[in-house]
Amino acid sequence: MIKRSVIFFDIDGTLLNHEKQLPISTKEAIFTLKEQGHEVAIATGRAPFMFEDLRNELGIHTFVSYNGQYVVLNGEVLYSNPLNISSLEALTAFALHNNHPVVFMDHEDMKANVPEHPYIKTSIETLKISRFPTYDPHYYKGRELYQSLLFCLEGEERQYEQKFQDFDFVRWHPFSVDIVPKGGSKAKGIERIVEKLGFQQEQQYAFGDGLNDLEMLATVKNSVAMGNAEDTVKKAAKYITKSVEENGVFHGLQMVGLL
């Protein structure tokens, strides 16, 4: 009898290939895991509304979203860690001065502080989602935001890192970085779930490929980096599987003995 485990999967570059498609082998592997009694969860930088269709397709109701800031267990919110709004307001004013747009994000929607900008259009389009941020420069007022997006070129985020100590900045696109609470990560969100469900370290697995997966792969005992991951990400993982284009999730699950 296979010992019950919990497996966390990143989305972009892990579950979904670079065309944002779910490989058949990955879908079949997920359903096999569930049939065997394992707990299957998602750990992503995306907002909950950006992967609702994927959750429904795979029948997954437990997830870590916003890089650990909004955690749901079996359809119920388990943990949330909102941004410091006064610091975000100051950052937004500084970003406007630099002509760097900001997108505000809560668990339901995302709004931009400028009517339009090519950096927003180009980067959001790569996610291949149906929703696009509309204009509301005051969306941050009176609500909890779990992540924001700062749009700037690589290296330009350094000035924000020095000036705004309440936040961490994680690049996900040449034109954009995630803004998350200081110390927030997928690993912290995963901790909340495994503590609640009672899984031991040996029963915990995680698959990822991006820079926002570093803490997760370094923390989860049985971590697997995708073959398409950067070298720094691969070094953080215990195992390295094939790329997402080569059925990497399926082969990785075989490698660690879950399939």
Side-chain angles (χ1 to χ4, degrees), residues 84-92 164 166-167:
N84 182 303
I85 294 299
S86 61
S87 296
L88 182 63
E89 188 173 17
L91 181 149
T92 301
F164 300 99
D166 287 342
F167 305 131

Side-chain angles (χ1 to χ4, degrees), residues 32-248:
T32 298
L33 291 174
K34 293 172 62 180
E35 288 168 2
Q36 292 174 345
H38 297 300
E39 182 77 29
V40 179
I42 286 173
T44 180
R46 288 190 180 215
F49 55 80
M50 290 183 178
F51 61 102
E52 186 174 3
D53 289 347
L54 181 63
R55 296 200 306 273
N56 291 335
E57 182 176 359
L58 295 176
I60 294 176
H61 308 293
T62 295
F63 60 86
V64 173
S65 64
Y66 283 137
N67 289 313
Q69 316 322 309
Y70 193 81
V71 179
V72 170
L73 175 63
N74 295 323
E76 300 292 332
V77 179
L78 176 65
Y79 170 74
S80 64
N81 183 32
L83 295 164
N84 182 303
I85 294 299
S86 61
S87 296
L88 182 63
E89 188 173 17
L91 181 149
T92 301
F94 183 68
L96 274 175
H97 178 75
N98 293 329
N99 193 29
H100 292 157
V102 175
V103 165
F104 309 115
M105 310 175 81
D106 63 6
H107 62 293
E108 295 178 325
D109 207 350
M110 55 181 171
K111 300 289 185 178
N113 72 328
V114 295
E116 58 182 20
H117 195 283
Y119 287 3
I120 297 179
K121 183 177 187 296
T122 300
S123 55
I124 297 296
E125 280 180 349
T126 66
L127 297 173
K128 298 186 184 298
I129 57 177
S130 58
R131 193 179 307 198
F132 198 82
T134 52
Y135 177 54
D136 185 350
H138 304 298
Y139 192 69
Y140 64 88
K141 294 184 177 181
R143 68 181 76 239
E144 291 189 337
L145 304 179
Y146 305 105
Q147 184 170 285
S148 288
L149 303 177
L150 172 67
F151 296 85
C152 61
L153 297 176
E154 292 187 55
E156 291 183 326
E157 68 269 27
R158 302 286 181 265
Q159 58 189 314
Y160 295 90
E161 293 171 347
Q162 295 170 2
K163 191 174 180 66
F164 300 99
Q165 301 292 315
D166 287 342
F167 305 131
D168 284 333
F169 299 85
V170 184
R171 184 162 290 279
W172 65 276
H173 186 275
F175 291 161
S176 185
V177 294
D178 294 328
I179 305 171
V180 297
K182 191 74 174 179
S185 70
K186 292 183 182 183
K188 295 288 180 62
I190 286 173
E191 284 178 10
R192 301 282 175 163
I193 291 175
V194 297
E195 286 174 4
K196 188 73 173 180
L197 296 180
F199 284 101
Q200 301 299 311
Q201 286 188 342
E202 293 75 16
Q203 300 166 271
Q204 300 172 28
Y205 297 79
F207 285 68
D209 75 301
L211 295 176
N212 62 340
D213 295 319
L214 281 171
E215 292 90 346
M216 175 178 77
L217 296 177
T219 303
V220 174
K221 185 174 181 63
N222 302 297
S223 58
V224 184
M226 303 297 289
N228 45 277
E230 295 183 18
D231 287 342
T232 53
V233 177
K234 291 178 179 177
K235 289 177 182 176
K238 184 176 181 180
Y239 304 97
I240 301 173
T241 184
K242 295 183 179 181
S243 75
V244 64
E245 308 290 353
E246 300 174 300
N247 302 310

Side-chain angles (χ1 to χ4, degrees), residues 11-23 244-245:
I11 294 179
D12 300 287
T14 302
L15 287 179
L16 300 184
N17 63 23
H18 299 300
E19 299 300 319
K20 306 305 178 187
Q21 297 170 336
L22 178 68
V244 64
E245 308 290 353

